[in-house]
Amino acid sequence: MTNSLNHVKVKPEKLAATAVELMERELVVPKLFARKGIDEFKGAKDDTINVRVPGILPARDYEWRNNRAQPLSFDEYRERKLAVRFGGNAYSATMLTDEQREMDFLGWTQDILPAQSRAVARKLEYGAIKALQAGKYSVTIGAGKAPNNAHIAENALNAIVEARHALNRMGASKVKRTLVIGSDWDTILQGSKALQAAAVGDSVAESAFVDALLGKVKGFDVIVSEDIAPDEAYALTGDSFVFLNAAPGIPESAVAGASMLSQDGIAMRWLRDYDPQYQVERSTVNTWYGYQQVLDPVIYLNDQGQETVSDEEYNIRSVKLKLDTVAITTKYFPEGSDKAKVAKGLGLTKTPPGVTYLPDPA
């Protein structure tokens, strides 16, 4: 007699590859962060590694045709170390009874594994949003937004221009600049003529990231996130934050399992086994992750016009924006022992020329 149920054996690697690609398609904000994997962590104390960051030196001037009474000034070269560690293990675990597996579902690939992948992706997304919101920001910009203000869109655009100006003055990279916006910013920019269509390649089509890509404004790719506060926005460079991600290995006792890497470098592990005592098949999807903001010393011009390196480290790679209910406000370098000197040396003490904020109606 021929069994009416056709069981096709699928290799765990194939199922895991499908699952990790599904997870990768659900991510938005983590894709904006610089990514590091597990190899650098093996053997590290307390699951922590020190990422080597090149040091910086100021340039000095030796007076032309001077009497050589004074020697050159020598500055100490010091490399920085960014301590990074894994802090989370995002997972989804579920089980199927024999009856469910045979009668109710189409299999792991069709039903269960995609749901598990999406659950883990949401956990990674929330972690990235939390890192954004908890970060330190040397520059915060508020755009006036009264309910009946006819200039809301213009004020929002001026705030974005000011964020661009601040990043430029701080020496932030101009590569991969992104503006992550909440739903209120989305509503405002949707009606702006400054919003330009963003080109999307075929390789990233049909993903949550593409769905969130609104367009381009003032040199920023605009990404909409429903998970950040509606009135918040973050102007980021591609190296503002570090996203740690790795898949743990497959234990020898596992009946079936695989660790896979997506096309964009997202790692995930899938394990499956059977518990004969309860006659259930168990499935676990997980990935290790962590997030770290990058802070830097700042090179600025002192009162004598000489390059100087700041005593403390500051966030010069991202800017926070917020829609306020009052007139525009900008805060430069709220923390740090030499914050006033740094702000003055960078030319960040007042709204840049050409940026005018229209007041809220009385």
Side-chain angles (χ1 to χ4, degrees):
M1 174 181 286
T2 302
N3 193 333
S4 60
L5 293 176
N6 295 320
H7 295 284
V8 179
K9 186 175 181 180
V10 181
K11 292 182 178 181
E13 290 80 7
K14 185 173 182 180
L15 292 178
T18 301
V20 74
E21 290 297 339
L22 289 172
M23 180 177 70
E24 189 270 330
R25 290 178 186 176
E26 295 294 321
L27 299 178
V28 178
V29 176
K31 288 187 175 183
L32 304 176
F33 297 172
R35 198 167 307 149
K36 288 191 174 290
I38 192 174
D39 288 342
E40 297 168 276
F41 284 80
K42 292 183 177 179
K45 183 179 178 181
D46 300 326
D47 304 324
T48 302
I49 62 169
N50 291 314
V51 179
R52 176 176 168 270
V53 181
I56 57 176
L57 289 169
R60 299 183 181 275
D61 191 68
Y62 198 53
E63 185 179 353
W64 182 253
R65 293 187 181 276
N66 68 70
N67 60 9
R68 300 313 194 257
Q70 298 296 326
L72 298 177
S73 297
F74 286 82
D75 299 292
E76 181 183 359
Y77 177 78
R78 292 181 296 176
E79 292 185 341
R80 296 182 298 115
K81 293 182 178 180
L82 177 66
V84 187
R85 65 176 298 168
F86 280 102
N89 181 9
Y91 77 93
S92 172
T94 189
M95 60 180 67
L96 292 181
T97 65
D98 289 344
E99 296 87 346
Q100 289 175 320
R101 182 166 52 86
E102 297 289 350
M103 307 295 295
D104 297 341
F105 298 105
L106 298 176
W108 294 107
T109 306
Q110 296 291 331
D111 296 305
I112 311 302
L113 208 48
Q116 289 186 280
S117 300
R118 288 191 290 269
V120 173
R122 288 196 302 273
K123 189 67 175 177
L124 295 180
E125 189 74 25
Y126 296 152
I129 295 297
K130 184 177 179 180
L132 271 183
Q133 294 175 329
K136 293 183 177 180
Y137 294 93
S138 301
V139 178
T140 57
I141 301 170
K145 180 204 168 189
N148 59 341
N149 190 343
H151 308 295
I152 291 178
E154 190 170 349
N155 278 346
L157 290 173
N158 281 333
I160 295 172
V161 171
E162 188 167 350
R164 175 188 172 93
H165 169 257
L167 289 175
N168 290 343
R169 295 297 304 176
M170 291 188 291
S173 171
K174 294 183 174 63
V175 179
K176 294 184 178 180
R177 287 191 177 182
T178 306
L179 185 69
V180 183
I181 63 173
S183 56
D184 287 355
W185 283 84
D186 181 20
T187 301
I188 293 171
L189 293 181
Q190 286 283 6
S192 172
K193 294 181 180 179
L195 188 65
Q196 303 172 353
V200 178
D202 294 337
S203 61
V204 292
E206 298 181 0
S207 70
F209 185 86
V210 173
D211 290 340
L213 184 57
L214 182 62
K216 294 184 73 71
V217 171
K218 307 299 181 183
F220 293 96
D221 287 326
V222 182
I223 299 291
V224 182
S225 174
E226 300 298 332
D227 296 317
I228 67 174
D231 61 348
E232 290 182 352
Y234 298 87
L236 309 174
T237 59
D239 51 6
S240 301
F241 290 80
V242 175
F243 170 34
L244 308 176
N245 176 240
I250 307 301
E252 294 181 1
S253 59
V255 176
S259 294
M260 301 300 297
L261 198 66
S262 75
Q263 184 177 0
D264 284 350
I266 303 297
M268 188 198 75
R269 179 179 70 174
W270 178 56
L271 297 177
R272 187 181 68 177
D273 68 355
Y274 187 78
D275 186 345
Q277 287 187 307
Y278 295 94
Q279 296 188 333
V280 294
E281 191 173 27
R282 300 177 296 195
S283 171
T284 303
V285 168
N286 75 309
T287 185
W288 292 340
Y289 71 96
Y291 299 97
Q292 177 69 48
Q293 186 181 34
V294 181
L295 303 178
D296 300 274
V298 181
I299 296 181
Y300 64 95
L301 295 179
N302 61 20
D303 292 338
Q304 290 72 44
Q306 297 175 335
E307 280 193 343
T308 306
V309 180
S310 64
D311 296 331
E312 297 196 29
E313 295 180 349
Y314 298 90
N315 175 11
I316 60 174
R317 303 173 187 241
S318 56
V319 171
K320 183 176 180 178
L321 303 92
K322 189 176 179 65
L323 294 172
D324 288 337
T325 56
V326 295
I328 196 71
T329 56
T330 303
K331 297 179 182 178
Y332 299 108
F333 294 88
E335 300 176 340
S337 60
D338 52 352
K339 59 182 181 180
K341 295 179 181 178
V342 173
K344 181 180 179 181
L346 292 177
L348 291 176
T349 57
K350 58 183 179 180
T351 301
V355 175
T356 303
Y357 294 98
L358 300 174
D360 297 333

